[in-house]
Amino acid sequence: MGSIPYKGTPTKLPATDVVVVGLGWAGSIVANELADEGLNVIGYERGPWRDTARDFSVATAPDELRYNTRMELMVRARQNTVTMRNNPGQTALPIRQWQSFHPGNGTGGAGLHWAGITYRYDPNEFRMKSHLIERYGQKAYDAANLTMQDWGTDWDEMEPHYARFEAICGTSGKAGNIKGQIQEGGNPFEGPRSADYPTPPMEQPYGPTLFAETAKDMGYKPYPVPSSLVSEAYTNPLGVTMGPCTYCGFCTNYGCANYSKASAITTILPALIRKPNFTAKTNCEVHRVVMDPSGTRATGVIYTDSSGREWEQPASLVIVAAFVLENVRLMLMSGVGEPYDPETGKGTTGRNYCYQTANSAQLFFHDKNFNPFIGAGAVGMGIDETNNDNFDHSGLGFFGGGSTRVTPIGGAPIANSVTPPGTPKWGSQWKRAVKDTYHANMSIGCEASCYPQRTNYLSLDPTYRDPYGDPLLRMTFDFSDNDLRMAQYVTNRIAEIGKRMGAYQIVKKPSVGPWSNAKGYESTHLVGGFIMGTDPSVSSVNKYLQVWNVPNLFVVGATAVPQNPGYNPTGTVGALAFKAADAIRRLYLKNPGEMIA
């Protein structure tokens, strides 16, 4: 399949050195690094320019109706959406309101409204397929019916780039492993770090403290959740200063009025926009990466600006760094790579799309006051005994696991009127239950893995189109049997902790199938679709995020992640962006071409 022909007549502009599509975490990092190299860089963003002082003042930022209910920071479905189905035998229908996940709109992208939790992936994650086969055998792996693959990189290559991202963010936390030495109070399962976190852990509210004390009594090793909501005033390596988190409770789905939550708009773009060799073009829709006749070189991008005019911007280097879904769609429409075919297993573009399983246990108490209005997206305590391959999976019938945490994000009134099962949905009994349980309930969450299977993939929809006449992206996805068994197992484990904490009622909420956007919010941690690896027949980019056979095109972001582990991907997205930028500066610019033959 070739590219989808572009029907417009764009005006061709003078060439530049680099174009970057998307100004969220990945695009802003790469743009800043290449601007520092002296290259002329143009960054494109579909949505508006976001500025903390103008857009998120202390008087307007804590608006639950505006940001959490009406989702002002998200892409409007009219701008672009996706169609979805659970398997290839179904007809996909458009998502008309974001519920299950929330793609961002404007500078900062989805990394603007995120919670701020900032993990590094486990060292085994970069070769998880090989690890599982070595530990449990080929027969056990084959029985799981998964299409996992190794990344083509390793912890030693990734660690310096994780450190650079945390330094940009001012990430707060307590190291569990520094240069191979286990540190008391940190996460003992993390890979060896070169240094501690840039800022100390956040102060913990009552709920995470009670959870950690109980978990420790049960033999677990609790640790402060790594948070890019800084715990103290911090100035990052770009000279941008952040202020300490005030636990306002308006964090996830919101911008931050206090300059406390790290995002591209609070850590990178204030420095980048001042550089004379960088230009940001907002409210611009990029339609295609333009390829030369051979299909082995990108020559620029075609886009429509805010006034509706069409342009072609030639460039020597093209960086695609938008949200997962848009990265894949742009590659499919531009004819980059062979579209994945689930029947034959051939093709790479759209392959190994994964979501995340969101599991929890809601706890109700008679004698507790958790003050839920005191919260932040990434304050909390966690344990990792339920995560990755940190426990023996022999005989369990599944692989994977999740990070178990108590992270009170804030008890805003519309979304947090939690009542016990059996409570009427309205009336005096409902009001009484809300009053009685608001302070006395909490949840334990387990953000868990989602491993790829053959029929989960991304493609172009044959029927539905966007306002420009281009096909929508079609998502074919459902949770695998492996993931559903894992979800039930970890949910039972976390419920045991809740029982020990003294809850009089525990409501288990494991992920269940079939997946549906209509079930409500689960996670914005989408990965895959243009994955990295060592074999061009089953991967789209090499370990530097360089597209196979198109050496001047890099696709940077969570699209490169071959399977989703039990952590959010943001820290890894940042590390991959630094990794790609480092390779371009250190290797590609000196000798343009394939960096891995």
Side-chain angles (χ1 to χ4, degrees):
M1 174 181 171
S3 63
I4 304 297
Y6 184 69
K7 299 177 182 179
T9 54
T11 300
K12 199 166 188 176
L13 295 164
T16 190
D17 295 326
V18 184
V19 292
V20 177
V21 180
L23 288 174
W25 274 125
S28 297
I29 288 169
V30 176
N32 185 67
E33 291 292 300
L34 298 186
D36 281 351
E37 193 66 24
L39 301 175
N40 293 312
V41 180
I42 301 175
Y44 292 92
E45 172 56 49
R46 167 189 285 155
W49 181 268
R50 307 280 190 189
D51 181 78
T52 299
R54 181 192 64 204
D55 298 319
F56 306 114
S57 75
V58 292
T60 61
D63 188 332
E64 185 183 11
L65 183 64
R66 180 180 179 183
Y67 292 112
N68 196 59
T69 303
R70 295 176 177 164
M71 297 190 290
E72 186 171 304
L73 300 181
M74 317 311 168
V75 173
R76 303 291 93 183
R78 175 60 180 165
Q79 286 176 281
N80 198 14
T81 186
V82 299
T83 65
M84 61 80 55
R85 59 184 182 174
N86 292 128
N87 63 68
Q90 297 175 337
T91 299
L93 296 174
I95 291 176
R96 301 187 184 276
Q97 181 177 356
W98 303 115
Q99 296 190 58
S100 186
F101 53 88
H102 297 159
N105 188 42
T107 53
L112 171 58
H113 64 75
W114 71 314
I117 296 170
T118 313
Y119 280 104
R120 300 177 175 196
Y121 283 173
D122 182 276
N124 284 329
E125 181 58 38
F126 304 109
R127 56 181 308 275
M128 185 57 74
K129 178 181 179 180
S130 295
H131 169 81
L132 293 177
I133 292 171
E134 290 166 2
R135 183 172 182 183
Y136 301 104
Q138 186 71 50
K139 184 177 180 181
Y141 174 80
D142 290 343
N145 293 314
L146 303 173
T147 59
M148 300 175 71
Q149 60 186 70
D150 296 346
W151 293 45
T153 189
D154 59 25
W155 175 262
D156 290 339
E157 289 187 350
M158 291 292 293
E159 199 281 334
H161 305 299
Y162 276 122
R164 288 198 67 192
F165 182 66
E166 291 167 358
I168 287 290
C169 295
T171 306
S172 303
K174 175 70 176 74
N177 184 338
I178 298 180
K179 299 178 180 178
Q181 297 297 311
I182 301 301
Q183 308 293 307
E184 183 69 27
N187 181 0
F189 296 99
E190 72 174 355
R193 306 167 56 89
S194 53
D196 209 334
Y197 288 92
T199 56
M202 300 178 74
E203 295 292 329
Q204 298 298 328
Y206 178 44
T209 301
L210 177 63
F211 164 77
E213 291 172 349
T214 304
K216 188 173 182 179
D217 288 343
M218 296 174 69
Y220 294 103
K221 295 180 174 60
Y223 60 88
V225 173
S227 167
S228 287
L229 285 54
V230 295
S231 60
E232 61 186 23
Y234 177 78
T235 300
N236 76 13
L238 300 183
V240 182
T241 298
M242 304 169 67
C245 178
T246 60
Y247 303 81
C248 73
F250 295 90
C251 194
T252 305
N253 289 338
Y254 302 83
C256 181
N258 300 313
Y259 296 86
S260 304
K261 181 169 69 171
S263 69
I265 77 164
T266 59
T267 63
I268 300 172
L269 289 172
L272 175 59
I273 198 62
R274 288 169 168 79
K275 296 177 180 177
N277 56 334
F278 173 76
T279 302
K281 295 193 175 184
T282 55
N283 296 303
C284 292
E285 183 84 16
V286 175
H287 304 293
R288 300 289 189 280
V289 173
V290 183
M291 305 297 292
D292 74 359
S294 72
T296 61
R297 182 169 182 80
T299 62
V301 296
I302 294 173
Y303 70 97
T304 300
D305 68 15
S306 58
S307 66
R309 294 191 63 183
E310 300 169 319
W311 305 93
E312 180 180 346
Q313 176 60 66
S316 300
L317 193 58
V318 177
I319 313 294
V320 176
F323 189 62
V324 167
L325 303 177
E326 198 56 37
N327 277 0
V328 177
R329 180 172 180 252
L330 194 52
M331 292 301 95
L332 287 166
M333 292 195 300
S334 303
V336 179
E338 180 184 353
Y340 173 72
D341 183 345
E343 292 188 11
T344 64
K346 295 182 178 180
T348 58
T349 307
R351 183 187 188 94
N352 275 36
Y353 168 72
C354 296
Y355 192 35
Q356 194 150 50
T357 55
N359 315 287
S360 65
Q362 193 75 36
L363 314 180
F364 295 91
F365 296 83
H366 289 303
D367 59 346
K368 306 293 183 188
N369 183 348
F370 296 108
N371 285 329
F373 56 87
I374 301 172
V379 66
M381 297 292 289
I383 59 173
D384 255 15
E385 282 84 352
T386 56
N387 203 0
N388 300 316
D389 197 37
N390 297 339
F391 59 99
D392 188 358
H393 288 74
S394 299
L396 295 179
F398 68 85
F399 296 122
S403 170
T404 295
R405 306 188 295 260
V406 170
T407 50
I409 64 173
I414 298 173
N416 287 275
S417 54
V418 179
T419 57
T423 303
K425 300 297 183 184
W426 59 281
S428 60
Q429 286 181 272
W430 176 81
K431 292 178 182 178
R432 189 179 306 112
V434 170
K435 175 180 177 293
D436 292 343
T437 60
Y438 177 78
H439 288 91
N441 82 89
M442 59 169 284
S443 67
I444 305 174
C446 187
E447 184 174 67
S449 56
C450 177
Y451 287 163
Q453 59 180 349
R454 190 165 181 160
T455 53
N456 288 344
Y457 69 106
L458 302 172
S459 57
L460 293 178
D461 193 276
T463 304
Y464 294 95
R465 296 183 176 270
D466 71 5
Y468 299 96
D470 286 327
L472 296 182
L473 189 71
R474 181 175 61 184
M475 176 189 297
T476 304
F477 176 80
D478 204 357
F479 293 116
S480 67
D481 290 341
N482 176 87
D483 293 343
L484 295 177
R485 285 191 288 266
M486 178 275 301
Q488 188 63 59
Y489 176 87
V490 297
T491 304
N492 289 339
R493 290 277 299 271
I494 64 177
E496 293 171 359
I497 302 174
K499 183 177 181 180
R500 183 73 72 89
M501 291 171 67
Y504 76 84
Q505 188 168 9
I506 300 172
V507 181
K508 299 179 184 180
K509 299 178 181 180
S511 288
V512 296
W515 174 78
S516 171
N517 175 67
K519 289 182 178 180
Y521 187 74
E522 294 178 88
S523 172
T524 306
H525 305 150
L526 288 60
V527 306
F530 209 74
I531 60 176
M532 61 192 293
T534 58
D535 182 353
S537 71
V538 291
S539 63
S540 299
V541 295
N542 62 29
K543 67 178 181 178
Y544 301 122
L545 290 301
Q546 183 184 43
V547 177
W548 295 113
N549 301 318
V550 191
N552 72 325
L553 175 61
F554 291 75
V555 179
V556 185
T559 37
V561 177
Q563 53 266 336
N564 213 350
Y567 290 135
N568 65 314
T570 312
T572 299
V573 169
L576 288 172
F578 275 114
K579 191 176 197 293
D582 172 71
I584 293 170
R585 297 181 71 173
R586 184 170 47 85
L587 301 173
Y588 178 84
L589 293 177
K590 295 175 182 177
N591 185 24
E594 295 269 3
M595 290 187 284
I596 297 177

